[in-house]
Amino acid sequence: MVNTDILLDVQNLKVHFPIEKGIIFKRNAGWIRAVDGVSFSIRKGESLGLVGESGCGKSTTAMTVAQLQASTAGKVFFEGRDLSLITPKELRRERMNFQIVFQDPYSSLNPRMRAGDIIAEPLRIYARKKIISISKKEVLEKTASLMDRCGLPSSSADRYPHEFSGGQRQRIGIARALSLGPKMIIADEPVSALDVSIQSQILNLLKDLQQELDLTFLFIAHDLAVVEYFCSRIAVMYLGHIVETADSKTLYNQPIHPYTRALFSAVPLSDPRSARKRKRIILEGDVPSPSVVRAGCPFMDRCPDVMERCKVETPTLSNLDKNHQVACFLYDSPGKER
Amino acid sequence: MEKPRILKNGIAIMGLVIILLYIIMIIVSSFWLPFDPSEMDVKHVLESPSFGTGHFFGTDEFGRDVLSRIMKGSSVSLIISISATALGAVFGIMMGIWAGFLGGRWDNFIMRIADIMFSFPSLLMAIFVMAVLGENTYNVIIAIGIIYIPQFARISRGAILSLKSNEFIRAARSNGAGNIYILFRHLLPNSMPPIIVQVSLSLSVAILLESSLSFLGLGVQPPEPSWGNMLSSARKVMMIAPWTAIYPGLAIITLVLGFNLLGDGLRDILDPRLRNVS
Amino acid sequence: MGKEIILHVEGLRTEFQTERGIVQAVNNVSFVLHRGETLGIVGESGCGKSVTNFSILKLVQYPPGRITDGTVLYNEKDLLQCSEDEIRTIRGKHIAMIFQDPLTSLNPVIKIWVQIAEALRLHQGMSKKDAKAKAIELLKLIGIPDAEQRADNYPHQFSGGMRQRVMIAMALSCNPDILIADEPTTALDVTIQAQILEIIKNLSQEHKTSVIMITHDLGVVAEMCDAVCVMYAGRIVERATIDELFYDPKHPYTIGLLNSIPRIDQDSEEHLHSILGAPPDLIDLPIGCPFQPRCTHAMEICAYKSPPEFSMGGDESRTVACWLHEKEHAHG
């Protein structure tokens, strides 16, 4: 798979957390399989949305890709380099290329640092480590231009995070992520903590920045409408697995996997007439615990179309066409179309 | 220039004023005292407070001036309280940061030691340490300091742990920051508020512990005056000469109150969310 | 209208005393709720939608909160004038509430069925045995599998969605006239949200329960409500039936809000419309219309005079608090 267009390639990623029991003598009482064999790739300039409900492993996947969480198995290639094989020093240099925008605009900024210092911090760290060379004056200029670009008044550089509104704090977080000139932004639920009228401001800003700076996005969200608006391609996760991936239009118009179909039909529509017309698929029950090891499809106990085969075998992602993969036995044989 | 925030907080100012008064008293007492605090005067034994004799707070059973002894004792009490708190804070915070930052096995090991130390009532622990080390002023400092170590360890560990899960720590890591940088730039500054409050409360408890130890005869040894051993010797004559007990008692109460007020005020002041709010 | 009015809120004002000054959280709010109707109160955080509903049941903490004016008529009785004892029998029995966070609303050390039965025994004087049977019946009704066994569980053994269903079961245990749902699905995932909304919808239809649905999610409003009040900075800026609101919004804030949500059922354009700036600080509100600093249609009058609620075409249930619509009011 030598494709120069591919920026990020994730292969069979697994992240399992130990469940510890006991107070003084800790022993392992099992594993939480937060991410259990996830593969995807992102082309340059593309934005891939990772959607799913809480506990499906989307955030863990993002943090593992960002090398902030160790993986249990699998590989992450960034521009063709296996990030698990490089030295810590090389990794630090590589981090400049992928930066994170966090979910919570309150806890993602140090309350004791001024806005300007927060944005300049990455530059200062890399300058001190002699990875980039930048003068103090250039740092200030760069910070001012980043603040300006992200819609923050330059006079606010001396203010503390609590003096900003939620939307402005998120702008500070975005400016910080941009300071090192990354190629990819990992956005972990960047708008879910914001009010509706602020949400659209931030989404617009991110979209503008993507075009201007030719950024690639890994966009994590639980809000399907936001992902569908922002991303060109979507991967749907359930219980640590990707169950379906397609470009956003296809996925909305022809969802294939029973879970994707239920997920889309559960989204409240801001349109009362079509809301009254449509038939919703209401799923029974809850997402099972990721600590129980079981054979079969992860979705089998909530699936309306469950078959005998689903209870013994785990379906893998297979191509429906070039841009559409699904992990479901209903669509396994190539000849069988919907 | 903006007014320092401490001046906007009434409670903190009251505490600060009380502590300042004591500090002035210590400075004055180091070169001037109304009477020699250890000179006995058989002619003026147990004299009630009066302006005529110059014994404003009266005299004790050996005819020594109570005011002079309180003034002299204040420096002993304050030095013990400050040194013991510093001792406990330095070692405790180091342990707590070590445990909280590294986590895992280290955390378990350090915090179990702290738990064992915690399981002794503090006065009992102090008596035990004094019995081992012997009775003198320096050992009082060590005894109280040892009691404080687990308290500071627990508080600083808690602060570090709650901060560690913040996203700005993750953000710093994703920006290539190392452990030492994160510890000094992000974790320590944000964990200061609870530690500073603990310091001010520890200072007041140290005064009480020192007084208790001296009262029991294990602390500062007579004839050197301390508030605790003054109360101890006043016990025998308290009924006929209540001033021998009342004034040292008042001294303890007001200084402890001062530290507590300062601690309460600091808690509000150090909350960054209340800063620069117009 | 011919429909029976079950709750009539008139001129409600609630303020909070803070260190920085007085916050007018609810500022002259009036609305009516009909029997069997689902009324949505929608707005962004801090607009006063939750405080409005706490005020209805006198659940505002004093200090710092205080209801300074207004009447809340339920069965011709003003709830705000009721004594603590009177209001306590109304809460739970006649007007029930469910909250956003189902974990903190349940007592962690008491079994599920006991918590449901408590309300039944308190308000209906049931025996313990009857109450348990009724509690299990309610758990079945809201779709808890193995209700008999699960009734003996403690809250932590239930998932978030199941806990919210238990809250609904408790709220409905006494067949209340009114159910106040304060962001009932905000903490839940979409597929679970769909389950919960379905349950509320079915139950309100079956029992003719009126529902006040407080939410920030216009999608939830569109799915659930018959009528809507849009709140901004402590005031109702627009009230309308559900179709009027979505297909003929009048207030610039409502229009902006509707345009700023990404729509899953429409092709995404290059840019979302967005409202400039952020909601105002309730301590120093602008003198005129609270939305004026963010409004693209702001006129001279907006800066110094706050608009009253103009009714459209003389219809009391269709109002807009915006000077742009003063004429329609006059001609109507």
Side-chain angles (χ1 to χ4, degrees), chain C residues 243-256:
Chain C
D243 284 18
E244 283 166 343
L245 190 88
F246 280 89
Y247 303 119
D248 185 23
K250 299 273 192 208
H251 197 283
Y253 175 65
T254 317
I255 296 170

Side-chain angles (χ1 to χ4, degrees), chain B residues 131-145:
Chain B
V132 173
L133 295 177
E135 297 145 4
N136 78 43
T137 311
Y138 295 108
N139 292 342
V140 176
I141 295 175
I142 294 173
I144 299 174

Side-chain angles (χ1 to χ4, degrees), chain A residues 55-175:
Chain A
C56 74
K58 56 188 191 300
S59 278
T60 311
T61 305
M63 289 306 128
T64 314
V65 167
Q67 303 297 307
L68 292 174
Q69 165 70 49
S71 61
T72 313
K75 293 200 178 308
V76 177
F77 294 94
F78 189 81
E79 295 186 304
R81 295 180 85 188
D82 185 344
L83 293 184
S84 62
L85 293 179
I86 61 179
T87 64
K89 210 173 163 187
E90 286 175 306
L91 177 62
R92 181 173 279 147
R93 189 180 287 272
E94 205 61 65
R95 281 191 190 284
M96 294 176 68
N97 292 323
F98 48 89
Q99 289 282 303
I100 310 170
V101 174
F102 291 91
Q103 168 178 10
D104 183 352
Y106 291 86
S107 90
S108 64
L109 308 177
N110 184 341
R112 288 179 183 272
M113 280 168 76
R114 296 169 196 274
D117 293 332
I118 291 173
I119 297 166
E121 190 189 28
L123 290 170
R124 289 184 181 143
I125 292 174
Y126 277 84
R128 194 167 36 215
K129 303 270 181 199
K130 306 253 184 317
I131 296 172
I132 53 173
S133 71
I134 185 167
S135 71
K136 280 187 178 158
K137 195 171 154 242
E138 284 168 322
V139 169
L140 290 180
E141 283 167 7
K142 181 99 201 247
T143 309
S145 82
L146 281 167
M147 289 185 75
D148 182 51
R149 183 59 202 89
C150 293
L152 291 160
S154 54
S155 57
S156 61
D158 285 337
R159 290 199 274 153
Y160 287 96
H162 68 90
E163 296 170 70
F164 292 91
S165 67
Q168 282 177 314
R169 286 157 158 259
Q170 201 58 306
R171 286 172 196 270
I172 297 175
I174 292 169

Side-chain angles (χ1 to χ4, degrees), chain A residues 53-54 195 201 271 278 283, chain C residues 45 189 191 195 223 247 275:
Chain A
E53 300 178 278
S54 50
D195 268 325
Q201 295 174 1
D271 184 344
R278 73 167 167 169
L283 286 179
Chain C
S45 47
D189 283 316
T191 60
Q195 294 173 354
E223 298 271 349
Y247 303 119
I275 306 174

